[in-house]
Structure formats: C-alpha cells, structure tokens
C-alpha cells in the first residue's frame, strides 16, 4: 500500500513540470512552519488547496470566511470570543491558536513550540485564578508524533501572552490504558451539575476525564465500546442537566475504524448515567455540538453537529481528500437533517454575528509532515 502511494506520487511529479511549492519554501520566516522544499506539480498543489464547494439547506447561504493558503493548517476546534471573533486551535506542526475575525482577518494569538493544541475552551469564573485562560487538548509532541500512543497533554494557554503550560498528561483509566488520540474539551456550564470541571474525551481508551481548578486530572467514566461507542464531541443540553456526548461506532473486528451512520449523540447525567435512548443517531464522526441562537432564521434554537465523515488521516499530503464532511441540524422533533454538505473534515462550530462559522481541517496528513495550509473556514447565514 505504501509502495503504491509512493509510486503514485512519482507519477504525479513526472506528469507535469515539477516546481518548488510557491510561498511555502525557505523564503518565508522560520515561524511559518514549513520544512521544504517539497516538489509537487502546480496541478497537485492547486488540487490540495481547493476549497470545496458546499451545498446548504434552502434556508441557508454559505461563503468562505478564511480560504486555504492563508494561515490555517488544521483548524480543529473553535471558541466564540464575542460576536466578531473566534479562537481556533490548530495542531499543525508545533501548533497555534489563531484569532479569526468576521472580516476574514487571521491573527496568531499563540505560537506553540511543543504541545500542539486541537480542542479548546476558555475557563469560566468558577475556575478562579485560571478564569479566562484557554485550556486545550494537545499532542504530547509536535507533528502529532505519538498521537495514539502518548497521552494527551492538557495545556493552559494565556491568550494575552501566548504562553502555554502543561496542566497534566491524561492519566491511565481504571483499565490501565492511557488517554490519548483526542478529542474534545468543554467546561461544564456554570450553575449546572457539570460546573467546576473541564470535561475531556479521550479516544484511545474511550474514557471521559475531568479537570478541576486545582489541576487535578482524573478519569471519570470509561464508555462501553460496543454498547455506547467511542467518545468524540461534547456539548450540553440547554438546561444544563445532560451532557451531549458525541460517539462514534467502532466495530469489534477493527477498533481503528468507525462505522458511517453508527455515530450518535448520547445524553449523560452528571453522575455518569447515560440515558437509554440517544438524542440522535445516523452520524459518523460527531465533532462540535452547538446551539443556534433563536435569531438563526428558520433553524433558530436548533442543535448543530459537525461530522467529519472519514478522516482520511492515513493519506499522503498530495492525495485527494473526500468531500464527505457535513454539518447537521436537529429539528424540534429530534430529527437529523443535513444543513451543509460537501465539506472535507469539518470539526469546529461557532455561532456569532448572525451566522455559523465552520472550521475544516481538510487533509489531516498524519503521514509525513504537515506541508500545506489547506485548512479553511466557512460562514453560513440564514437567508
Ligand atoms: Ca472527511
Ligand atoms: Ca489540514
């Protein structure tokens, strides 16, 4: 398989005149994170850097807020700062946090050297001296090295200085398995039974973790892979009484695969009990879970769920990424509908400024090093 991939690469390079990737070579500053030259054809580069054209529900309109080729490599998770600004965690190479404004500008808030962050949230008042600090689920090493072997680093990033520090590496769960391989982190809503804790999902050992303001990190609950699934995105019911827990279905024959249509959003109480019936099923890789504000047109007040579909993270950086990424909405009757389709690997969602920002990491490229700023952000508004 690897040989075939390499051969295909050679054919691509030979098919049209090879050039040094423009704008990504040594003429940029050291901080721009690209170790090249990597010779690819202009045709291949253009294909990799194409922003997919999306389809939206009839009541919605979509525009590209941040195109590829700007700054974003893997903008995994989003946090809404205010009605004009988002923060994005990007685990490309050594990692960064970006501030994205609705006028399309992107500014680097934190240039991370060691622990590349991908999921993030901002500590609420109940976190005392840490309130306002970014907490992130991060890789233990840059370049995603050891992503599924080394425990996730939970880092705290000061948005004022960009400095990060490690709160903990996720400890082993009760079965003695380390918490690694992602995915999400969300603070419990203030005043709810989940308050005062940062909630984290880890895929490797299908375990939920909590972190308290005193930096105590501990395993909270390990999901049953067959009955419940592998945990992904985290949200909360509007009344704060249930966690909305996105799970992917992993077949016993191959725990590294997930089943399209087998993903669900489970409802979990703060004591860890999971309701017998899910909120919704029919998903694949449920990522961010976000509630639309009442003013969001025909879909005001509905839950939106990102779904990356296949991650394609074992592909080379020059291979096409499937356009199987979607954003769903759940109507008042609990039915799932496609709101946006044709994306690649959408994860982050953020409602602000009358619309919905969707971040897409595009190629994930765990094979070799991350070479292209192919991430992008769409902005979807009611018509
Ligand atoms: Ca995908
Ligand atoms: Ca990418």
């Amino acid at each position: 398989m690897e040989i075939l991939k390499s051969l295909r690469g050679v054919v691509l390079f030979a098919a049209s005149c090879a050039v040094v990737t423009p704008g990504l070579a040594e003429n940029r500053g050291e901080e721009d994170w690209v170790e090249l030259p990597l010779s690819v054809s202009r045709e291949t580069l253009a294909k990799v850097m194409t922003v997919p054209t999306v389809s939206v529900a009839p009541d919605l309109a979509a525009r590209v807020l941040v195109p590829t080729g700007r700054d974003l490599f893997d903008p995994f998770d989003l946090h809404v700062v205010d009605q004009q600004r988002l923060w994005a965690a990007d685990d490309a190479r050594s990692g960064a946090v970006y501030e994205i404004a609705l006028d399309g500008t992107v500014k680097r808030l934190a240039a991370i050297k060691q622990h590349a962050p991908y999921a993030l949230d901002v500590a609420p008042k109940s976190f005392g001296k840490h309130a306002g600090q970014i907490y992130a689920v991060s890789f233990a090493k840059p370049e995603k090295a050891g992503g599924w072997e080394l425990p996730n680093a939970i880092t705290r990033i000061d948005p004022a200085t960009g400095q990060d520090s490690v709160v903990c590496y996720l400890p082993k769960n009760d079965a003695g398995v380390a918490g690694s391989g992602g995915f999400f982190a969300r603070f419990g809503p203030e005043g709810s039974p989940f308050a005062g804790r940062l909630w984290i999902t880890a895929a490797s050992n299908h375990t939920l973790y909590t972190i308290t303001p005193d930096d105590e990190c501990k395993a909270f609950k390990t999901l049953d892979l067959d009955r419940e699934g592998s945990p992904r995105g985290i949200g909360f019911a509007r009344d704060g009484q249930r966690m909305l827990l996105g799970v992917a279905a992993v077949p016993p024959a191959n725990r590294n695969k997930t089943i399209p249509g087998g993903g669900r959003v489970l409802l979990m109480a703060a004591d860890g009990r999971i309701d017998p019936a899910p909120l919704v099923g029919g998903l694949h890789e449920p990522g961010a879970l976000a509630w639309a504000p009442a003013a969001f047109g025909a879909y005001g007040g509905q839950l939106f769920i990102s779904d990356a579909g296949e991650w394609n993270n074992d592909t080379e950086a020059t291979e096409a990424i499937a356009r199987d990424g979607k954003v769903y909405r759940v109507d008042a009757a609990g039915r799932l509908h496609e709101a946006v389709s044709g994306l690649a690997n959408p994860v982050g969602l953020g409602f602000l400024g009358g619309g919905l920002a969707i971040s897409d990491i595009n190629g994930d490229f765990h094979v070799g090093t991350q070479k292209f700023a192919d991430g992008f952000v769409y902005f979807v508004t009611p018509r």
Side-chain angles (χ1 to χ4, degrees):
M1 190 62 188
E2 290 306 312
I3 292 168
L4 279 176
K5 280 178 182 170
S6 302
L7 282 175
R8 211 182 313 159
V10 170
V11 171
L12 274 173
F13 296 154
S16 53
C17 64
V19 296
V20 173
T21 311
L24 297 179
E26 63 282 357
N27 59 335
R28 296 186 68 178
E30 268 185 24
E31 296 232 311
D32 286 309
W33 296 354
V34 183
E35 283 161 15
L36 292 175
L38 166 74
S39 288
V40 297
S41 71
R42 291 186 190 281
E43 188 187 350
T44 298
L45 181 66
K47 200 159 39 173
V48 169
M49 299 301 274
T50 300
V51 177
T53 304
V54 298
S55 302
V56 291
D59 301 300
L60 300 174
R63 67 180 170 89
V64 176
L65 179 63
V66 183
T68 59
R70 286 274 294 277
D71 298 281
L72 308 177
F73 284 61
D74 285 339
F76 191 89
D77 193 17
L78 295 174
H79 173 78
V80 174
V81 181
D82 55 33
Q83 288 305 302
Q84 290 299 315
R85 294 177 301 154
L86 296 150
W87 289 342
D90 190 319
D91 61 73
R93 202 175 175 217
S94 59
V97 177
Y98 291 105
E99 181 170 290
I100 300 168
L102 283 193
D103 64 4
T105 54
V106 178
K107 160 175 114 179
R108 190 161 56 197
L109 214 65
I112 307 294
K113 302 289 182 220
Q114 172 73 22
H115 299 104
Y118 47 96
L120 81 171
D121 201 0
V122 173
K125 282 205 172 66
S126 63
F127 264 59
K129 66 177 181 181
H130 301 308
Q133 297 284 297
I134 296 168
Y135 280 65
V137 186
S138 307
F139 283 96
K141 288 186 174 179
E143 298 277 20
K144 303 168 186 174
W148 282 86
E149 289 83 34
L150 301 177
N152 293 331
I154 307 303
T155 54
R156 189 160 44 226
I157 305 166
D158 185 341
T161 64
Q163 295 300 307
D164 69 328
S165 58
V166 176
V167 176
C168 65
Y169 295 94
L170 288 184
K172 290 176 177 173
N173 66 4
D174 293 344
V177 184
S180 59
F183 269 84
F184 264 74
R186 289 291 185 267
F187 287 96
E190 298 281 77
S192 82
F194 297 92
R197 285 172 283 182
L198 175 67
W199 297 82
I200 295 156
T201 50
S204 68
N205 60 0
H206 37 104
T207 295
L208 273 155
Y209 286 85
T210 58
I211 295 181
T212 41
D214 58 2
D215 289 353
E216 187 190 26
C217 305
K218 58 181 185 185
F220 175 79
K221 180 188 176 72
T222 295
L223 298 189
D224 183 299
L225 271 189
D226 297 311
R227 203 157 33 88
E228 291 154 347
S230 181
R232 299 290 192 263
I234 297 173
F236 293 93
R238 296 219 105 150
D239 65 1
Q241 296 303 303
R242 289 284 188 282
M243 176 185 287
L244 311 180
L245 183 59
V247 294
V250 286
N254 184 351
R255 295 301 197 190
N256 293 320
K257 288 280 173 199
T258 51
I259 302 170
R264 298 176 293 162
V265 175
L266 307 179
L267 296 161
M268 189 189 83
D271 64 4
R273 270 181 297 183
I274 292 175
D275 290 6
L279 177 75
V280 71
L283 302 162
H284 187 183
E285 284 279 350
L289 300 146
W291 292 98
F296 193 69
Y299 308 136
Q302 296 191 1
L303 179 70
F304 281 66
I305 307 166
S306 68
D307 191 329
E310 292 291 343
W311 290 104
N312 298 125
N313 55 14
D314 53 354
T315 63
E316 302 277 0
T318 50
E319 289 183 278
I321 302 299
R323 305 311 198 199
D324 64 346
K326 293 178 176 142
V327 175
Y328 291 98
R329 64 182 178 87
V330 182
D331 69 18
R335 287 182 303 249
L336 191 70
H337 303 268
E338 284 184 14
V340 184
S341 60
L343 293 156
N345 285 318
V347 184
L349 299 178
F351 284 96
L352 76 167
L356 168 64
I358 304 165
S359 64
D360 193 317
I361 67 174
N362 208 348
D364 200 13
F365 305 143
H366 284 252
V367 177
T369 55
Q370 173 75 52
K371 296 174 181 72
F372 303 104
D374 69 339
F376 56 90
V377 178
Y378 260 100
F379 194 62
V380 174
T381 47
R383 282 190 191 276

